[in-house]
Amino acid sequence: MNKLIGTGVALITPFKNDLTVDQESLAKLVKNQIANGINYLVVLGTTAEVATLTKAEKKLVIDTVIKANNSQLPLVLGIGGNNTAALVEELSYEDLSAFEAVLSVSPYYNKPTQEGIYQHYKALSEASPKPIIIYNVPGRTASNVLPATIKRLAEDFHNIIGIKEAAGDMVQAMKLIAMVPEGFLVISGDDMITLPMILAGGHGVISVIGQGFPAEFSEMVKIGLESKVKEAYKLHYKIAPSIDLIFSEGNPAGIKSLLHSKGLCEEAVRLPLMKASEKLKKELSRFVEAF
């Protein structure tokens, strides 16, 4: 899956100030990513506030992205949750023809054992007409998918092709890279350690900050994959303060504020999330101006 090496972006769902989906801003954001070197787009990931979208709104987002993208970049669709049977059903009826792969978050809240996680992804693998990327984000799911479990899934199911690893743990990431079969994608899900993961043998990132600074972040990933260490770290340290800022009051409030300061969308988020504070908005605006 060479199409999914490099910089993927987890797209936000822009809302108008009345909290309806802003199709115009979403299309503008997609075109901005295409023009600035992003390699692929992730639609309806957790950054898209997918938990607050209705079924009709999800379809609207998918249709808007497909139309704006116009087959220029590969697309990945987020289909995840903690009800295995419901996901199996969704995979059987969802039209996935426009997508290269499915990104599926490890079951949250239930706190399954490693065997439960294995059986969950086994069921998804057997149901999915498209390749699957596992998403491990213990800070949100309350359970960590261990490297040994990923190795087992990668070896047992040919259509489980990669992992978005967002445990924020470089030691775990290195164990993972060392253990998985050749060609299995280890993708950073943590913007701050994207470059170290790439230099350790990872294949890229599914990024949040990437949609704010697509040209610079995708260039950092590209030259990181070429092992141009000093040049890549120069870009990393230039971008790094913004990563701390956008996550300081939760995701996607921070990235929406940054994108608003660049004229790409409104700042609106849906409850229970809150818009960025005035203090954070000013800090982000100052950073964007200086950048």
Side-chain angles (χ1 to χ4, degrees):
M1 294 299 288
N2 288 342
K3 290 179 179 178
L4 304 181
I5 291 174
T7 305
V9 153
L11 290 167
I12 62 157
T13 302
F15 298 127
K16 297 175 185 175
N17 285 323
D18 65 1
L19 296 182
T20 57
V21 174
D22 186 346
Q23 290 174 267
E24 189 180 334
S25 291
L26 180 56
K28 185 162 64 172
L29 182 64
V30 168
K31 288 169 184 173
N32 181 264
Q33 304 306 295
I34 295 166
N36 283 285
I38 294 300
N39 301 108
Y40 63 98
L41 301 173
V42 177
V43 186
L44 296 181
T46 47
T47 296
E49 294 175 77
V50 70
T52 71
L53 298 177
T54 66
K55 192 173 178 181
E57 286 171 333
K58 289 177 188 177
K59 186 177 187 310
L60 183 64
V61 167
I62 289 169
D63 291 347
T64 302
V65 172
I66 289 172
K67 185 179 177 186
N69 183 53
N70 196 25
S71 301
Q72 291 181 81
L73 295 183
L75 301 177
V76 173
L77 182 63
I79 298 181
N82 60 352
N83 180 341
T84 308
L87 293 179
V88 166
E89 186 181 348
E90 188 174 349
L91 285 166
S92 69
Y93 70 69
E94 184 73 53
D95 179 7
L96 299 174
S97 56
F99 295 93
E100 290 292 326
V102 167
L103 177 67
S104 195
V105 68
S106 176
Y108 43 80
Y109 190 80
N110 310 38
K111 296 177 79 172
T113 62
Q114 294 301 301
E115 184 60 29
I117 292 168
Y118 174 88
Q119 293 298 333
H120 171 82
Y121 282 111
K122 176 179 187 284
L124 300 193
S125 167
E126 290 168 349
S128 180
K130 291 284 181 171
I132 292 171
I133 300 168
I134 294 165
Y135 180 17
N136 182 38
V137 56
R140 289 184 180 268
T141 63
S143 66
N144 187 17
V145 188
L146 297 176
T149 303
I150 296 299
K151 178 178 185 285
R152 190 178 163 206
L153 286 163
E155 289 173 346
D156 290 354
F157 304 102
H158 68 91
N159 66 338
I160 296 181
I161 60 160
I163 178 169
K164 177 184 177 184
E165 173 58 35
D169 181 340
M170 264 309 294
V171 174
Q172 178 164 302
M174 288 188 292
K175 285 180 182 173
L176 191 55
I177 290 162
M179 288 172 75
V180 295
E182 186 77 27
F184 186 84
L185 301 175
V186 178
I187 300 164
S188 174
D190 186 323
D191 286 335
M192 194 61 91
I193 61 170
T194 291
L195 185 55
M197 277 185 67
I198 288 169
L199 296 173
H203 298 88
V205 63
I206 293 174
S207 173
V208 176
I209 196 61
Q211 66 200 301
F213 301 113
E216 295 82 2
F217 200 79
S218 62
E219 177 66 11
M220 181 198 80
V221 170
K222 178 179 173 289
I223 62 179
L225 287 164
E226 294 166 358
S227 298
K228 295 176 179 173
V229 180
K230 284 185 179 177
E231 299 96 319
Y233 264 115
K234 190 174 178 183
L235 277 169
H236 166 83
Y237 287 121
K238 185 181 178 187
I239 298 165
S242 69
I243 299 171
D244 284 334
L245 285 172
I246 64 163
F247 290 109
S248 65
E249 293 181 6
N251 186 41
I255 188 64
K256 281 190 168 182
S257 182
L258 188 150
L259 292 169
H260 177 70
S261 72
K262 297 184 84 172
L264 286 165
C265 67
E266 296 296 337
E267 298 169 281
V269 293
R270 286 180 175 174
L271 287 169
L273 298 180
M274 296 293 292
K275 284 199 300 188
S277 66
E278 288 301 319
K279 178 176 178 287
L280 179 57
K281 281 195 273 191
K282 285 174 184 169
E283 288 175 328
L284 283 165
S285 290
R286 280 198 297 269
F287 185 89
V288 168
E289 282 168 28
F291 196 85

